[in-house]
Amino acid sequence: MGCRDVHAATVLAFLSGTASVAGLLAAVLLPNWRQMRLYTFNKNERNVTIYTGLWIKCARFDGSRDCVIYDPQWYTAVDQLDLRVLQFALPLSMLTAVSALFLCLIGMCNTAFVSSVPNVKLAKCLVNSAGCHLVAGLLFLLACAICLTPSVWVIFYNNYLNRKYEPVFSFDISVFIAIASAGGLFFTSVLLFLWYCACKSLPSPFWQPLYSHAPSMHSYASQPYSARSRLSAIEIDIPVVTHTS
C-alpha cells in the first residue's frame, strides 16, 4: 500500500466522518434529549409529556403531535447542567469534525491530482497527504471525546434527577444518536490511523514532514570523494608490474 494512492480506507473514512457529522447535527436540532412525563388521575384529561432539547421545549398531550406549549427561547433559560454543557460541547465537536473532514478531503485531492514529483519552486508550499490524514484522525478522535463524554453524562444525570425529584425523567432518542455519532467519529479516526500505519514501509518516521525540497533532488546529492578518486588519470591508468625471481 502506497501513500500516493487513494484507497478505499480513506474514502470510507471520509464517508463515515460525513455521516457522523450529519448525526451530530440531527442530535443538536432534535428536541428529544429528555422527556418528563406528567400523569393525571382525572379520566377527563390526558397525560402530558414534555420534550426537552438543547434549544427548544415542547409539551404534548398523549396521542397528539402538536405542541401545546412551545418554548423557542428555552436555550436562554436552560436549568439543567448536562444540557447546558451539551449546548457548547456538541457544536464544538461538530466544528472539530468538519475541520477534520476538510483536512481529509485536502489529503485525498492532493493524493489524486498532484504529481509524485513536486515543482521545486512550490515544494515548500505543498501539502503532505499522509500528514493531512494523520492530523484528521487526531481531530476525529478529539471530536469523539468532546461529544461522547457529555452525551453519556446525560444518562447518569437523568438518574440523579429521578432520585432528587420524582421518577418522571427519561432520556430520549437524541442521546442514542449522539453516542452513535461519537462511535462513528471513533471508527473514522481508527480507519485513518490504520491507513497511515499501513501506507508506509517499516521502519519509517511516525510523522511525515512537509517537503523542504523536491524529492527528485535527493538522488542528485553530491557524494564524498574517496581517496582513490582524487588520483590523477595517469596514476590510475599506470599498470602495476611485479617482478618474479
Side-chain angles (χ1 to χ4, degrees):
M1 183 183 291
C3 291
R4 297 193 179 280
D5 299 323
V6 177
H7 296 278
T10 55
V11 177
L12 181 60
F14 181 80
L15 295 178
S16 175
T18 304
S20 301
V21 171
L24 281 180
L25 180 62
V28 168
L29 297 180
L30 286 175
N32 298 97
W33 279 93
R34 175 170 291 123
Q35 293 184 12
M36 184 172 61
R37 187 167 177 82
L38 304 178
Y39 298 92
T40 179
F41 297 99
N42 189 344
K43 296 182 179 180
N44 297 324
E45 296 181 357
R46 291 180 293 176
N47 297 329
V48 177
T49 303
I50 301 177
Y51 297 89
T52 304
L54 302 182
W55 318 105
I56 60 175
K57 178 187 286 187
C58 174
R60 298 175 183 172
F61 288 117
D62 287 356
S64 175
R65 293 180 176 272
D66 298 328
C67 295
V68 180
I69 301 176
Y70 180 81
D71 186 7
Q73 301 297 324
W74 164 248
Y75 66 93
T76 62
V78 174
D79 56 354
Q80 299 168 16
L81 182 60
D82 57 340
L83 299 184
R84 178 65 76 181
V85 172
L86 282 167
Q87 285 182 338
F88 295 95
L90 289 190
L92 180 60
S93 177
M94 288 178 57
L95 181 62
T96 306
V98 169
S99 301
L101 282 176
F102 183 68
L103 275 178
C104 189
L105 184 61
I106 290 178
M108 288 192 297
C109 292
N110 181 72
T111 303
F113 301 110
V114 177
S115 61
S116 58
V117 180
N119 189 349
V120 178
K121 296 181 180 180
L122 301 177
K124 294 185 178 181
C125 302
L126 290 179
V127 177
N128 189 330
S129 59
C132 285
H133 289 307
L134 179 61
V135 176
L138 293 174
L139 289 178
F140 277 124
L141 191 61
L142 177 61
C144 170
I146 296 174
C147 170
L148 184 63
T149 303
S151 299
V152 173
W153 185 36
V154 172
I155 301 176
F156 296 97
Y157 197 82
N158 188 78
N159 296 331
Y160 165 76
L161 292 177
N162 286 328
R163 291 193 304 268
K164 184 176 181 180
Y165 299 104
E166 295 182 8
V168 295
F169 297 95
S170 61
F171 49 89
D172 208 347
I173 189 173
S174 292
V175 178
F176 300 104
I177 295 177
I179 294 176
S181 300
L185 294 174
F186 180 77
F187 174 72
T188 304
S189 66
V190 169
L191 275 179
L192 292 176
F193 290 152
L194 289 177
W195 176 85
Y196 183 82
C197 294
C199 74
K200 298 192 303 178
S201 60
L202 298 177
S204 59
F206 181 71
W207 168 257
Q208 284 191 345
L210 296 176
Y211 289 117
S212 58
H213 50 273
S216 59
M217 297 176 61
H218 289 284
S219 59
Y220 297 102
S222 59
Q223 300 296 331
Y225 290 100
S226 62
R228 185 173 177 83
S229 65
R230 290 193 294 268
L231 297 177
S232 64
I234 298 177
E235 292 174 335
I236 295 175
D237 294 334
I238 295 175
V240 178
V241 179
T242 59
H243 297 278
T244 58
S245 58

